[in-house]
Every structure is written in C-alpha cells, then in structure tokens.
Amino acid sequence: MQKALILNGPNLNLLGTRQPEVYGSTTLKMVEDLCLNHGKSIGLEVACFQSNHEGALIDAIHAAKGVQDGIVLNAGAYTHTSIALMDAIASVELPVVEVHLSNIHAREEFRHTSYIAHVAVGQICGFGAQGYVLALDALTAHLKDRVSE
Ligand code: CA2
C-alpha cells in the first residue's frame, strides 16, 4: 500500500477556532480524520503531522524519505518565506502536493509568492478542507502516472 504524509505548518493547529470566515470552521482534527478516511477509501496509508516550528517541519520532510511515497503540505505562512523548507523538499525527491485552505492568489500580495510551488508537483488552493482530499487524489494520480511511465 502506498503511503502519504499530511504535513501542516504554523498556526494550523488553530483551525476551526478563529477566523472561520477565512479558513472555515473545520478543525485540524477534522481535516486529519477526513484525510485518514479518504486515504482508506482509495487504498493509501495516511499519516498526519503538524508543527509550528520550521525545523520540526524540515525534520519531518527528511524523515519521510524512504518511508512515505509523497507529501501533502500546507506550510502555512512558511509557504511565503521559507527557502529552507523548499530546499528540504528538493533534497528528499518525494512528490509534494501543496495545499492551502484559502485562495492565496486572491489575498494580500505577499501571499501570492510560494517557495513551495518551485518544488511541488502542483498546488491546490481555495477549496477549504476539501482541498486536502483533492490533494490526496492528485498525489495518487501522480504516483500512478510515474509507475506506468
Ligand atoms: O490558506 C492557507 O491554508 C494558508 O496556508 C494558511 C496560513 C496563511 O499564512 C497562508 O497564507 C495560507 C495561515 C494559517 C493560520 O491558520 C489559522 C487558522 C485559524 C485561526 C488562525 C490561524
């Protein structure tokens, strides 16, 4: 069975508790359960991790090499700042699908830049919690395409 890591960055532990008009009312636990259940339905083993610390996210990316087949990453605000996260993704050579709850391109200009996008297979944004399900499907399709190439 193929495996995917759902990796969430800073402040996403607060999901569903504040700013529901921007990020929805779904909690992180609900997002993770959604991913675990969707994984089961498509034959993908899903693991989840969240951290508010850049180094811990980098460690999780490094640890995924040889264990996971791909990563669904919402790097939160580190998306717009972290060359270190971008380098970590490039170093492990695992497919990463970037996900955001909000449409970062329709928000403040500083959110339009994503360092993650440089090294991701693709980006899904603006679909709220459902974006994680779409990202798992996209990752699965990408992994299948790679096998048959
Ligand atoms: O839309 C997304 O998923 C973001 O990655 C969320 C980040 C933001 O900095 C990115 O530009 C876009 C912020 C996550 C903060 O999440 C909170 C959730 C509830 C209450 C407060 C913050």
Side-chain angles (χ1 to χ4, degrees), residues 73-146:
L73 173 64
N74 184 347
Y78 288 143
T79 302
H80 319 299
T81 61
S82 181
I83 296 170
L85 270 178
M86 178 183 79
D87 286 347
I89 293 165
S91 75
V92 294
E93 294 174 337
L94 281 173
V96 169
V97 177
E98 177 182 1
V99 64
H100 298 284
L101 296 149
S102 62
N103 179 356
I104 56 174
H105 304 288
R107 300 183 63 193
E108 304 96 321
E109 200 154 341
F110 65 84
R111 294 188 206 273
H112 299 180
T113 298
S114 167
Y115 284 103
I116 308 303
H118 291 275
V119 288
V121 175
Q123 183 189 72
I124 293 167
C125 67
F127 294 99
Q130 197 59 29
Y132 288 81
V133 170
L134 298 172
L136 282 173
D137 285 342
L139 179 63
T140 304
H142 176 79
L143 291 169
K144 282 210 180 91
D145 279 357
R146 263 192 356 183

Side-chain angles (χ1 to χ4, degrees), residues 43-62:
L44 188 68
E45 191 178 319
V46 169
C48 302
F49 181 70
Q50 184 274 333
S51 179
N52 294 322
H53 305 279
E54 192 174 20
L57 295 167
I58 292 168
D59 287 345
I61 291 167
H62 291 173

